[in-house]
Amino acid sequence: MVQKSEEGARRGRGRPRAYDPDTALRQAREAFWVAGYSGTSLDDIAAATGMNRPSLYAAFGDKHSLYLHALNLYWTEGLAAMRRALSDERPLAEELMEVYDRSLAIYFSGEGPPRGCFAIGTATTEAVQDAEIRARFAEGLKVLDRAFEDRIRLAQEGGEIPRGADAAALAAVASSTLHTLAIRARMGTPREELRELARKSVAVICGS
């Protein structure tokens, strides 16, 4: 009986740990978010996810592939939340402020100092030398711009904004505001000060 128990314990110790891929990817993203792509090792990711290197490779590929998965997840979740906020169910100004408030909640989340936007904080550095990261980052920004522009055009159709206004230019202002909030949050600007900046930007966009 003792021998069987010892054998069972050995088999239990050798069995690979179960993990949820989505949870593991979010944990890996947290590691990249703190230290950046170059500053995050596979050992750091293994520690964050509780997975060993072979399991990481089997689930996500190498470190570069894992980072791209994390970046895609960030864009997918962020843009989905943005589209929900820009639903054309309330005045444009309210919906824009919801986008900025949701973003600030992300930028100021996590432990330690404000970390800003995952994409801006990690991809901008790597995009200089890495064509694939640059392409993924650029596409995410284009989708972001289009989401703002589509909502602004709806506001024009509804009479909230003059039809003669340049919707693409206003969308660029909206996107640029989002980017500067992320950068300034990471640099330590207080949240309420950033919210006031967002409010002023919304007033410019909406012409109020």
Side-chain angles (χ1 to χ4, degrees):
M1 293 295 292
V2 174
Q3 183 179 1
K4 289 182 180 179
S5 297
E6 288 176 349
E7 289 174 353
R10 284 197 295 271
R11 285 197 299 270
R13 287 195 295 269
R15 192 175 298 135
R17 291 180 62 184
Y19 67 91
D20 175 63
D22 290 337
T23 299
L25 185 56
R26 286 180 172 82
Q27 291 167 334
R29 184 178 63 187
E30 292 295 314
F32 283 124
W33 209 331
V34 171
Y37 177 78
S38 298
T40 304
S41 68
L42 278 175
D43 286 338
D44 295 328
I45 296 168
T49 61
M51 298 169 63
N52 57 32
R53 287 190 177 209
S55 296
L56 286 170
Y57 278 114
F60 305 109
D62 60 12
K63 173 183 164 181
H64 187 262
S65 177
L66 176 56
Y67 173 77
L68 289 174
H69 280 297
L71 182 60
N72 287 341
L73 177 66
Y74 185 79
W75 280 126
T76 299
E77 291 181 341
L79 291 169
M82 180 178 172
R83 289 193 175 101
R84 288 194 296 271
L86 299 178
S87 59
D88 193 27
E89 296 176 353
R90 293 169 295 155
L92 174 62
E94 291 183 16
E95 294 188 353
L96 288 174
M97 280 306 303
E98 181 176 342
V99 170
Y100 296 136
D101 281 333
R102 285 173 178 261
S103 299
L104 287 172
I106 293 172
Y107 301 161
F108 283 84
S109 64
E111 298 179 0
R115 55 192 182 167
C117 168
F118 174 75
I120 291 176
T122 63
T124 49
T125 302
E126 303 306 321
V128 176
Q129 299 293 334
D130 191 310
E132 192 168 7
I133 291 178
R134 182 167 62 250
R136 300 283 183 94
F137 188 32
E139 180 57 29
L141 293 177
K142 287 179 183 178
V143 175
L144 188 77
D145 291 342
R146 284 198 297 269
F148 276 126
E149 185 174 348
D150 289 346
R151 179 62 184 89
I152 288 169
R153 290 191 185 281
L154 287 175
Q156 287 180 307
E157 293 174 6
E160 289 185 83
I161 293 178
R163 288 184 176 271
D166 187 334
L170 293 176
V173 173
S175 291
S176 297
T177 299
L178 200 57
H179 306 330
T180 197
L181 292 178
I183 295 168
R184 290 171 185 264
R186 198 173 177 102
M187 298 309 295
T189 304
R191 184 170 179 171
E192 284 306 312
E193 187 174 327
L194 293 178
R195 193 174 190 279
E196 179 62 14
L197 188 156
R199 189 192 64 75
K200 290 177 179 178
S201 181
V202 169
V204 171
I205 294 167
C206 297
S208 57

